[in-house]
Amino acid sequence: MSKTGILLLWVALVGALVAVGVGVALALQYTGTRQDLHQITDAKVADDKTIVKDKAENAALTAAKADTDSKLTAANSKIDDLNTQLTAAQKTATDAAAGVKAANDAAQTAKDALDAINKTLGGKSPADYVAEKTKAEADLTAAQSEQKILQDQLQSSQTQVADLKDAINRAKTGTQPPGISGKVTFVDRTWNFVILDVGLANGVVPNGELIVYRGRTFLGKLKVTKVDSNDAVAEILPDIKGDIQIGDAVLN
């Protein structure tokens, strides 16, 4: 074999070896690529599962958050109600404390008043004090009533004295104030006198003269012989012109 043939053989051998090497390299690269592809596919599947799991967990967390928010809102509302109740309870307690203080003050005032009353009673029972007070009030009422009666009597006596003094002064002259008007209440024809329903209080005086009428008829004259406060005795004068009867009018 010539050198050229040997050279060509070596070239062919080297080419074959290179081709084999390249084929082996390509095969190895393909195998690695497929393995990488499987790994990538497996990783993608795992990632997809993780994403699905994360979504489920996120949904659960969202639901749990919504439930927690709802519970928190309810808890806050309950806390607000409790705070309102607490405020009301505190006000009630404050009012109750003020009421207790007022009651204590009132009790102390009542005790002080009772001590003062017991001191005033000087050892007597309230019943004894009430009985004495009632008797004193009754005595006072009786005394005031008697005082009123005596004052009325005094006033009447003073009026009567004044009337009598005036009557005495007028009796001395036999004058009577104008306007006397009364009636005959009794007639005694045997002793020739009548009783009248007017007296000192009306201005009638002893020795005073009155005239007697029945309707418009003049019957005669009377002369007063005795006078009391509200009635008088009068003598029928001789010039009488008619029969005097009970109910006839007298005037001056």
Side-chain angles (χ1 to χ4, degrees), residues 72-232:
L72 179 61
T73 300
N76 289 333
S77 177
K78 188 172 183 179
I79 290 172
D80 291 339
D81 291 341
L82 291 174
N83 285 331
T84 300
Q85 294 177 15
L86 175 61
T87 300
Q90 288 174 337
K91 183 179 184 304
T92 301
T94 301
D95 293 342
V100 169
K101 184 179 183 303
N104 289 337
D105 293 342
Q108 185 61 46
T109 300
K111 182 178 181 301
D112 294 341
L114 180 60
D115 291 342
I117 291 172
N118 288 331
K119 183 178 180 181
T120 302
L121 291 176
K124 294 180 181 179
S125 68
D128 293 338
Y129 180 77
V130 170
E132 291 181 1
K133 180 176 177 292
T134 301
K135 182 178 182 303
E137 288 175 345
D139 291 344
L140 175 61
T141 300
Q144 289 175 338
S145 178
E146 184 176 1
Q147 181 186 30
K148 177 66 169 57
I149 293 172
L150 292 175
Q151 285 177 341
D152 291 343
Q153 291 177 350
L154 175 60
Q155 181 66 36
S156 177
S157 298
Q158 290 174 340
T159 301
Q160 187 175 12
V161 168
D163 291 341
L164 288 172
K165 286 181 178 179
D166 182 62
I168 290 171
N169 292 330
R170 286 185 284 108
K172 291 178 180 180
T173 59
T175 59
Q176 299 177 125
I180 296 174
S181 177
K183 290 184 179 181
V184 175
T185 59
F186 178 79
V187 179
D188 189 327
R189 294 179 180 84
T190 302
W191 296 99
N192 200 37
F193 72 88
V194 297
I195 297 177
L196 310 176
D197 64 354
V198 288
L200 291 173
N202 307 101
V204 178
V205 297
N207 299 319
E209 289 189 358
L210 300 169
I211 56 177
V212 187
Y213 278 87
R214 184 180 301 141
R216 294 187 178 183
T217 303
F218 172 75
L219 299 178
K221 292 184 178 181
L222 303 174
K223 185 176 183 179
V224 179
T225 58
K226 182 180 179 182
V227 184
D228 289 327
S229 294
N230 298 304
D231 53 37

